[in-house]
Amino acid sequence: MFCKEASSSLQTLNIANSLSSQFTKPSALISSLSAGHRYKVCPRPNLRKRCTVTASKFTDWKDKIVKEKVNKIKVKGIITANEIIGGLLPSLLGRSLLVELISAETDPRTLTEKDPVKDYARSILFEGLGEDQFECVFDMPEDYGEVGAIRVVNHERSEIFIREIRLELPNGPVTFICNSWVAPKSKDPTKRTFFSDKSYLPLKTPEPLKKLRKEELETLQGKNRERGGAFEKFERVYDYDVYNDVGNPDKDRQLARPVLGGLSHPYPRRCKTGRKPCRKDPSSETRKGDFYVPRDEEFTTVKGATFTGKAVLAALPAVFPQIEAALVDPHMPFPHFKSIEDLFEEGIELPKNSGLFPMIPKLIKAAAEADDILQFEAPMLLDKDRFSWIRDDEFARQTLAGLNPYCIQLVQEWPLKSKLDPAVYGDPNSLITSDIVEKEIKGVMSFDEALENKRLFMLDYHDLLLPYVNKVRELDDSTLYASRALFFLSDDSTLRPVAIELTRPRDVNRPQWRQVFTPGYDATSCWLWSLAKTHAVSHDAGYHQLISHWLRTHCCMEPYIIAANRQLSAMHPIYRLLHPHFRYTMEINARARQSLINAGGIIESCFWPGKYSLQLSSDVYDKLWRFDREGLPADLISRGLAVEDETAEHGVRLTIPDYPFANDGLMLWDALKEWITDYVKHYYPDAEQVMLDEELQGWWSEVRNIGHGDKKNEPWWPVLKTQDDLIEVVTTIAWVASGHHAAVNFGQYGYGGYFPNRPTTARIKMPVEEPTEEVLKEFYEEPEKTLLKTFPSKKQATIVMVTLDLLSTHSPDEEYLGENPEASWAHEPVIYAAYERFKGKLQYLEGVIDERNVNVSLKNRAGAGVVKYELLKPISEPGLTGMGVPYSVSI
């Protein structure tokens, strides 16, 4: 007999086990199970011998019964893959790609996971260049239920990019969007898992998928990684590291740079690469080879791609020596303004077969017999009005509708005063007085009225730059001041420049030097004013590139992306909401570390901070960056450009009514927030769901404590307790990746391509700062020459022009806000309806922008020769358009 009365040490099995004599048919045994009988099996051999039905035998009988009762159907699977540049797809003619279907339902008879249904991709259908299809045929049980995941093993020798897997099921086709590289099993033995388009919160995940969900996250966290050392190209591990790979001390001590990240230089974290430390400075990482990013973060390299950001950045280091060789006296200034205009009209002759055409084809005019010509397209500013850059109104207008609309701020304290230590930097009191302001506003109102009525605004780089002035002046061919530029708001909502103050701090040998410059009424004053504007604009250009652009979008986005991939499953609804906003950002950041922001790279060579560029951005991150002010309304309020007003259209009232960036941006912000609100409240009907979501809480905790860990103790970090908390966090991240980045990136060539409008550096000091007779003589006799000497050199200007042209260009595969829905959004009717409303609002925004740009009463965006403000128009054609808002920081 079977031992029912076993001792307390016996193991309990939740199966119906009985005597074979009692149940002569397997079906009777299954019936016993369904009746819920519970038996104990004694592990002692002498007792077990009496048991004629063991657990193993039961399993065999169970399988037999299941197979007897369940009918099979044929299900075809079509795998769409992409051919890669420089190689061919695996043949997949044999047993090369194993595909497993995983049911999202448990077996009602056994209450366990259903067995996977497997087949090999064994046939091949050529669909033309770039995209091929492979076929599987699965024997699937009729009652298999919903397919919740597909697992793939690549038995080939090379990786394959799987775009999608389509299953032709009886109830209709189901497509799994993959868009992922699958490494060969010889390199990565783990099975690749692709989840269906149905999104699940962790607690609502079907039981058969929970283990897969956990395993996939552990893979991305690197927990299943067997090897150590540098990450290889095929790997998909997301981890954190400090910015210790922008310097290259092993190559040259002059290329050593401080580590960014930590107490000395707080900074966001980047993606870990695992490379070896430098020999000469173990705190720095070697720069050998490609900079690793997880495989699916790389740009898609499919045949037919005519442009990718990776190709652009890879080309730049090879392009510049060729251009420099073609320039006459590359380190000298342009001799006259005609020579600058010739860059657009005649171009630069290059040696035939220089090799530049394949790298930058849109800039090279290939001649059949003569030398090739490097010829730039005229930027939109030059096309509209070639003299506009000289005028004060355009200088002021661009603070609201130009390339860097993030820095103009309301004057809220008077007198202006530095907060730096006067013992180190000198007198903290500004020389811009109320008398100077009253004189310049010409009796429109008193100074007190102007201050009280919020009519005074400024670009204030004084305290930020003052500690760097003496250090930058020690660099070759460079100078620097701390600057303040003051503006008055007229009744027509335009700004009028009032004064510029330039300051050089004291040092061991000299006292402080400073002077205020105002728009002049005689020749000398006018030229000095133009030179002061050149310095002030160069400061704004450097701040724009390093802070408004690099730090606040590229750099600060990366921790959100790393944390999301480590903590949020690919089937998590918030991951799927944010995923389009993460596209290509890690890749473009890695390429930037290679050739843009690295020691001796483009930024250091061509912008005024020089080798202190990233250190400056670290100071700003430490002192000024706050997540709770990265959303547009909060940013505007913090700068005094808006006040909260529940009766206003967007919940805030602008201090400057005609502020094109803010006017268009608030409409875009509201559209994003409404879409995200609908999405979040669908998946999180109450606050408790937010609190109980372990993945969500883990993601946000990792963002704060690791990704932005140098600021983890700041009191302003949001806490995810309610739906509204989550909505604000996600909307902020989505805005930074889309609207913020578009506003500061895609107008770079349009405004900076003609470099006198946006000089990236100033190479000589003002002629009135402790001048020599020779300097004064040249200024009085040839003031234009002094201005040209202040501008970037030929080499610097040309490098910047090439870079801005390429980085302002939309690729053909760009993905714009509201253009196409993600597959998971289209899968859920409620979400798809919300997306369609979002898309409609963006289409409405395009029409509003078009109307505003022809309304001549809006003088900051319309008028004679005025460049239209189109940077926040959501959709764009490929190329250099000055419009279009991609989902992500993709270039």
Side-chain angles (χ1 to χ4, degrees):
M1 287 291 295
F2 177 72
C3 181
K4 290 185 179 180
E5 302 298 326
S7 68
S8 59
S9 64
L10 298 182
Q11 299 175 331
T12 299
L13 289 177
N14 289 320
I15 60 173
N17 201 348
S18 187
L19 296 172
S20 58
S21 59
Q22 181 178 346
F23 300 118
T24 57
K25 294 183 179 180
S27 57
L29 177 59
I30 298 298
S31 299
S32 177
L33 168 66
S34 62
H37 291 191
R38 196 172 167 89
Y39 296 87
K40 294 182 179 180
V41 179
C42 179
R44 290 162 54 189
N46 62 327
L47 293 179
R48 266 207 316 272
K49 287 178 182 177
R50 304 181 197 172
C51 305
T52 57
V53 178
T54 64
S56 173
K57 194 164 190 176
F58 166 75
T59 301
D60 293 340
W61 281 5
K62 178 206 71 171
D63 289 344
K64 183 178 179 182
I65 291 298
V66 170
K67 290 176 182 176
E68 286 177 359
K69 288 191 173 184
V70 177
N71 295 322
K72 300 288 183 69
I73 56 174
K74 297 289 186 182
V75 171
K76 183 186 291 186
I78 303 295
I79 302 169
T80 302
N82 282 108
E83 192 170 352
I84 61 173
I85 292 176
L88 298 174
L89 278 172
S91 63
L92 299 186
L93 292 172
R95 299 164 67 84
S96 298
L97 196 67
L98 175 64
V99 183
E100 299 181 353
L101 308 185
I102 309 296
S103 176
E105 301 176 7
T106 55
D107 191 322
R109 292 168 290 249
T110 66
L111 304 181
T112 60
E113 301 169 6
K114 295 180 179 179
D115 292 333
V117 177
K118 307 177 183 180
D119 192 32
Y120 283 90
R122 58 189 175 276
S123 61
I124 183 166
L125 303 171
F126 292 104
E127 296 292 335
L129 284 176
E131 195 170 271
D132 299 312
Q133 293 184 334
F134 314 98
E135 183 182 85
C136 301
V137 178
F138 303 96
D139 287 323
M140 178 186 287
E142 270 186 334
D143 63 348
Y144 197 64
E146 180 184 352
V147 178
I150 296 178
R151 305 192 84 179
V152 176
V153 180
N154 179 7
H155 291 280
E156 271 287 347
R157 289 176 296 176
S158 58
E159 64 181 354
I160 181 173
F161 184 83
I162 299 180
R163 184 172 294 280
E164 65 179 35
I165 302 175
R166 177 185 171 95
L167 302 178
E168 297 181 0
L169 298 170
N171 294 332
V174 174
T175 301
F176 283 64
I177 303 299
C178 304
N179 286 328
S180 182
W181 295 97
V182 178
K185 184 179 180 181
S186 59
K187 291 185 176 181
D188 184 1
T190 60
K191 296 178 181 180
R192 282 301 311 278
T193 302
F194 299 104
F195 296 107
S196 72
D197 292 337
K198 191 170 183 179
S199 299
Y200 296 100
L201 295 178
L203 291 177
K204 297 182 179 179
T205 308
E207 198 64 35
L209 302 183
K210 286 183 177 179
K211 183 179 178 182
L212 297 181
R213 182 173 187 146
K214 180 182 178 183
E215 287 177 351
E216 180 69 4
L217 283 176
E218 289 176 344
T219 296
L220 298 178
Q221 293 166 4
K223 291 182 178 180
N224 300 325
R225 189 174 190 250
E226 296 179 357
R227 64 185 61 80
F231 293 105
E232 296 187 53
K233 182 180 178 69
F234 70 87
E235 296 191 72
R236 300 188 300 130
V237 176
Y238 293 78
D239 206 348
Y240 301 93
D241 210 340
V242 293
Y243 277 74
N244 63 350
D245 64 344
V246 294
N248 196 350
D250 285 349
K251 181 177 181 181
D252 187 336
R253 280 287 183 185
Q254 296 299 315
L255 297 178
R257 297 292 181 268
V259 174
L260 301 184
L263 293 177
S264 299
H265 300 289
Y267 218 55
R269 296 302 187 262
R270 64 164 174 90
C271 176
K272 184 176 182 178
T273 65
R275 291 171 298 189
K276 294 180 180 179
C278 292
R279 289 179 293 103
K280 296 181 180 179
D281 178 10
S283 67
S284 295
E285 190 175 83
T286 56
R287 292 172 52 82
K288 186 177 180 180
D290 283 340
F291 284 36
Y292 165 82
V293 294
R295 189 64 179 102
D296 287 339
E297 299 294 335
E298 290 196 29
F299 294 112
T300 304
T301 50
V302 298
K303 277 194 172 181
T306 57
F307 172 94
T308 67
K310 180 179 180 180
V312 169
L313 290 180
L316 292 181
V319 165
F320 297 142
Q322 300 266 24
I323 295 175
E324 183 178 358
L327 293 170
V328 179
D329 298 324
H331 298 286
M332 296 296 289
F334 285 88
H336 39 69
F337 278 91
K338 178 64 169 66
S339 63
I340 299 174
E341 293 174 3
D342 284 345
L343 294 172
F344 311 104
E345 296 172 1
E346 298 180 10
I348 302 170
E349 289 188 5
L350 299 171
K352 193 66 179 174
N353 301 320
S354 63
L356 292 185
F357 182 77
M359 301 181 191
I360 48 173
K362 67 193 293 284
L363 295 179
I364 303 296
K365 312 299 181 188
E369 298 178 0
D371 291 339
D372 289 345
I373 302 294
L374 171 65
Q375 187 173 350
F376 294 93
E377 182 181 342
M380 57 184 178
L381 185 79
L382 203 61
D383 257 352
K384 283 284 189 178
D385 182 350
R386 62 189 300 183
F387 301 114
S388 63
W389 68 276
I390 302 173
R391 298 197 312 268
D392 288 351
D393 65 282
E394 182 65 15
F395 167 49
R397 188 191 73 84
Q398 287 185 29
T399 66
L400 302 173
L403 190 54
N404 188 27
Y406 269 100
C407 289
I408 190 73
Q409 60 181 289
L410 178 70
V411 174
Q412 301 186 64
E413 295 180 1
W414 197 270
L416 302 176
K417 186 176 182 179
S418 171
K419 293 179 173 60
L420 299 176
D421 186 354
V424 177
Y425 298 104
D427 187 353
N429 296 299
S430 172
L431 293 181
I432 302 177
T433 64
S434 57
D435 290 340
I436 290 175
V437 175
E438 285 204 353
K439 179 182 176 184
E440 292 302 319
I441 63 178
K442 298 179 175 65
V444 175
M445 63 180 64
S446 69
F447 168 80
D448 290 336
E449 289 173 325
L451 188 65
E452 183 181 350
N453 294 327
K454 298 183 178 181
R455 295 294 193 101
L456 297 179
F457 296 83
M458 67 175 171
L459 291 176
D460 186 5
Y461 299 124
H462 184 277
D463 283 11
L464 177 65
L465 302 192
L466 202 60
Y468 286 90
V469 170
N470 290 329
K471 292 190 288 188
V472 169
R473 286 185 169 216
E474 293 175 358
L475 304 177
D476 293 337
D477 208 24
S478 185
T479 194
L480 183 63
Y481 295 99
S483 68
R484 294 185 182 99
L486 193 68
F487 302 86
F488 172 73
L489 179 64
S490 301
D491 290 340
D492 61 2
S493 204
T494 59
L495 292 176
R496 182 197 308 174
V498 170
I500 294 172
E501 182 178 24
L502 301 179
T503 303
R504 183 201 70 202
R506 65 195 302 177
D507 61 24
V508 293
N509 299 315
R510 298 178 298 183
Q512 180 190 64
W513 179 92
R514 55 197 175 136
Q515 187 167 328
V516 175
F517 301 88
T518 57
Y521 302 97
D522 62 82
T524 301
S525 297
C526 286
W527 274 107
L528 287 173
W529 172 248
S530 294
L531 289 167
K533 279 198 301 182
T534 298
H535 284 276
V537 171
S538 75
H539 302 160
D540 188 64
Y543 189 95
H544 157 263
Q545 198 63 260
L546 285 164
I547 311 303
S548 302
H549 186 197
W550 163 254
L551 175 67
R552 292 181 64 180
T553 64
H554 288 261
C555 187
C556 286
M557 278 295 300
E558 190 153 342
Y560 312 144
I561 301 169
I562 298 172
N565 282 279
R566 287 171 54 84
Q567 299 296 332
L568 297 177
S569 167
M571 68 167 72
H572 196 290
I574 298 302
Y575 181 87
R576 285 177 159 163
L577 175 59
L578 283 173
H579 185 255
H581 296 287
F582 296 160
R583 184 177 187 244
Y584 295 157
T585 301
M586 291 180 68
E587 166 83 347
I588 200 70
N589 287 358
R591 306 311 153 205
R593 301 200 319 272
Q594 278 186 301
S595 57
L596 286 175
I597 63 170
N598 59 302
I602 295 168
I603 297 297
E604 287 196 1
S605 301
C606 301
F607 286 77
W608 54 263
K611 71 177 185 178
Y612 302 107
S613 294
L614 285 197
Q615 190 174 332
L616 176 78
S617 70
S618 170
D619 285 349
V620 174
Y621 178 73
D622 182 30
K623 297 182 177 75
L624 300 178
W625 187 85
R626 295 176 50 154
F627 181 86
D628 63 330
R629 292 182 179 175
E630 288 301 288
L632 180 58
D635 170 81
L636 294 171
I637 292 168
S638 71
R639 292 187 284 123
L641 270 294
V643 293
E644 291 188 67
D645 184 349
E646 294 182 359
T647 66
E649 183 180 3
H650 306 289
V652 295
R653 177 169 41 83
L654 293 177
T655 315
I656 302 177
D658 182 15
Y659 186 179
F661 161 69
N663 292 128
D664 298 354
L666 286 169
M667 289 187 68
L668 181 55
W669 169 273
D670 279 1
L672 275 169
K673 188 168 186 178
E674 183 177 317
W675 149 241
I676 290 168
T677 298
D678 291 341
Y679 188 101
V680 166
K681 291 193 172 180
H682 174 72
Y683 288 103
Y684 297 91
D686 55 63
E688 184 181 20
Q689 299 295 318
V690 176
M691 293 289 291
L692 292 176
D693 189 335
E694 292 182 354
E695 287 185 6
L696 183 73
Q697 297 296 335
W699 166 65
W700 192 238
S701 174
E702 194 166 288
V703 166
R704 173 177 175 170
N705 293 300
I706 303 177
H708 285 279
D710 294 339
K711 300 180 81 74
K712 65 183 178 182
N713 295 322
E714 299 287 356
W716 39 255
W717 279 105
V719 178
L720 296 184
K721 291 183 177 179
T722 68
Q723 300 105 311
D724 288 343
D725 296 333
L726 179 57
I727 289 164
E728 192 69 22
V729 164
V730 174
T731 306
T732 297
I733 293 173
W735 162 258
V736 170
S738 56
H740 181 150
H741 181 257
V744 299
N745 183 74
F746 293 106
Q748 288 194 86
Y749 187 75
Y751 283 105
Y754 185 66
F755 68 85
N757 180 63
R758 299 282 295 176
T760 57
T761 190
R763 300 197 300 150
I764 63 172
K765 63 186 182 181
M766 292 289 291
V768 291
E769 183 201 336
E770 300 174 353
T772 64
E773 289 186 13
E774 182 181 355
V775 168
L776 276 179
K777 181 180 179 182
E778 181 176 79
F779 170 62
Y780 285 123
E781 292 184 358
E782 297 180 274
E784 181 180 322
K785 191 173 181 179
T786 300
L787 181 58
L788 289 165
K789 282 184 174 181
T790 305
F791 287 152
S793 68
K794 293 178 184 178
K795 176 184 175 181
Q796 290 172 321
T798 309
I799 286 175
V800 169
M801 290 168 69
V802 171
T803 305
L804 296 187
D805 179 279
L806 295 174
L807 299 184
S808 301
T809 299
H810 289 292
S811 66
D813 67 340
E814 195 77 87
E815 294 181 7
Y816 299 97
L817 282 181
E819 189 175 31
N820 295 302
E822 294 288 291
S824 61
W825 305 346
H827 177 89
E828 183 66 45
V830 173
I831 299 300
Y832 184 66
Y835 170 80
E836 285 294 304
R837 292 193 295 274
F838 173 57
K839 182 175 183 177
K841 285 183 174 293
L842 296 181
Q843 292 171 343
Y844 176 71
L845 171 59
E846 291 219 14
V848 170
I849 290 174
D850 287 338
E851 289 179 5
R852 287 171 173 172
N853 284 334
V854 295
N855 183 350
V856 292
S857 67
L858 301 176
K859 296 182 179 180
N860 291 320
R861 65 191 306 155
V866 174
V867 175
K868 296 177 180 179
Y869 192 78
E870 298 183 305
L871 289 170
L872 294 179
K873 286 186 74 171
I875 308 296
S876 172
E877 295 294 324
L880 195 64
T881 64
M883 65 179 74
V885 183
Y887 276 101
S888 64
V889 182
S890 58
I891 187 62

